[in-house]
């Protein structure tokens, strides 16, 4: 099975900060990498797919990059509604594993 | 508007069974693959099962293989998860999620809570 790790696990930031979250895969995943945002008590929301493609309706301050085994999610200027947990997911092979998540909190 | 509505969750004893349903609307259900994803209390997301639009192929997480069965009824726009031999570690919110060409899960239901406890 492909394992995903995320760093950091927890991140304190302020409004307007640039935030970067890293997701590493245990083997190459051909850019079949998605990012999700989850607010407590709500379902996850797809932000990025194919490593760098912004899902329709997602603000342009979110961006994804990377290839092979290392990927990043960047929020260019953190907004109040962005305080949430962010998880990556690989869809290169079954089982479709998720990363453990990164919680972004207010500093 | 795409809508996915799960139902069937509840409290069940260890070793028991439960059948979850997911009612889809607002899109052509029969042309999309679907998934079940769960989230234990305070934990991360765990993919559970996948079913293609034609019901073959099907894939399961190792943690549920042999105990859970995913199925669908395209005529009824519905997705199902039959869960047998339930364990305490199956306690979670279960989400159904639409598969966006295996690029990501682009629509999710609100989730249904399954609690396995005596």
């Amino acid at each position: 099975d492909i394992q995903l790790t995320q760093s950091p696990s927890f991140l304190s930031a302020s409004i307007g900060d640039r935030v970067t979250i890293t997701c590493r895969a245990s083997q190459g995943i051909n850019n079949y990498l998605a990012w999700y945002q989850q607010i407590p008590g709500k379902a996850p929301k797809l932000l990025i797919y194919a490593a760098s493609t912004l899902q329709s309706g997602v603000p342009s301050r979110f961006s994804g990059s990377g290839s092979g085994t290392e990927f990043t999610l960047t929020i260019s200027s953190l907004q109040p509604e962005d305080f949430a947990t962010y998880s990556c997911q690989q869809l290169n092979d079954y089982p479709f594993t998720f990363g453990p998540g990164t919680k972004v909190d207010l500093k | 508007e795409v809508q996915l509505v799960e139902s069937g969750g509840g409290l069940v004893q260890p070793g028991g069974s439960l059948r979850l349903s997911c009612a889809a609307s607002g899109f052509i259900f029969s042309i999309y693959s679907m998934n079940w994803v769960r989230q234990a209390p305070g934990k991360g997301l765990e993919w559970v099962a996948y079913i293609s639009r034609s019901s073959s192929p099907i894939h399961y997480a190792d943690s549920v293989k042999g105990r859970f069965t995913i199925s669908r009824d395209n005529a009824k726009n519905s997705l199902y998860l039959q869960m047998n031999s339930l364990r305490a570690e199956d306690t979670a919110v279960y989400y159904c999620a639409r598969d966006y060409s295996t690029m990501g899960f682009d629509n999710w239901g609100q989730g249904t809570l399954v609690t396995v406890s005596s």
Side-chain angles (χ1 to χ4, degrees):
Chain A
D1 296 358
I2 298 172
Q3 310 300 320
L4 297 179
T5 58
Q6 285 183 235
S7 59
S9 300
F10 183 82
L11 188 160
S12 282
S14 301
I15 302 298
D17 282 355
R18 182 181 181 88
V19 167
T20 299
I21 299 167
T22 299
C23 177
R24 290 185 176 86
S26 58
Q27 63 191 75
I29 55 173
N30 296 306
N31 291 3
Y32 282 90
L33 192 284
W35 289 98
Y36 299 87
Q37 176 194 64
Q38 189 176 23
I39 292 166
K42 301 291 187 182
K45 173 186 175 182
L46 178 65
L47 299 175
I48 301 281
Y49 62 91
S52 60
T53 304
L54 196 66
Q55 171 69 348
S56 176
V58 174
S60 59
R61 63 180 179 274
F62 291 93
S63 63
S65 64
S67 64
T69 61
E70 186 159 330
F71 303 86
T72 59
L73 172 71
T74 300
I75 309 172
S76 61
S77 178
L78 201 64
Q79 299 302 299
E81 61 268 31
D82 299 338
F83 292 100
T85 296
Y86 295 85
S87 300
C88 57
Q89 180 198 25
Q90 68 81 19
L91 300 101
N92 183 69
D93 196 12
Y94 294 98
F96 285 167
T97 41
F98 287 89
T102 296
K103 184 176 181 180
V104 178
D105 209 344
L106 180 63
K107 185 184 288 183
Chain B
E1 179 194 4
V2 172
Q3 277 205 314
L4 297 169
V5 180
E6 301 94 338
S7 60
L11 175 63
V12 61
Q13 291 190 338
S17 297
L18 215 52
R19 189 195 197 206
L20 305 184
S21 299
C22 172
S25 61
F27 66 102
I28 303 173
F29 179 73
S30 60
I31 67 171
Y32 284 90
S33 298
M34 298 293 295
N35 296 269
W36 287 98
V37 177
R38 68 185 181 183
Q39 187 168 37
K43 302 296 185 182
L45 300 165
E46 180 186 15
W47 171 81
V48 172
Y50 161 93
I51 186 167
S52 71
R53 56 188 181 180
S54 63
S55 298
S56 179
I58 284 173
H59 299 281
Y60 296 99
D62 287 345
S63 58
V64 307
K65 203 173 294 183
R67 300 187 299 122
F68 289 12
T69 301
I70 189 172
S71 63
R72 65 189 296 160
D73 186 334
N74 287 340
K76 294 183 178 179
N77 292 334
S78 293
L79 175 72
Y80 306 101
L81 186 68
Q82 177 66 43
M83 305 186 296
N84 298 331
S85 303
L86 283 161
R87 307 166 179 167
E89 55 265 35
D90 295 318
T91 294
V93 174
Y94 285 74
Y95 296 99
C96 63
R98 191 176 80 169
D99 196 303
Y100 181 55
S101 299
T102 321
M103 291 292 189
F105 298 169
D106 65 344
N107 282 275
W108 297 63
Q110 85 289 350
T112 188
L113 176 62
V114 172
T115 303
V116 184
S117 174
S118 54

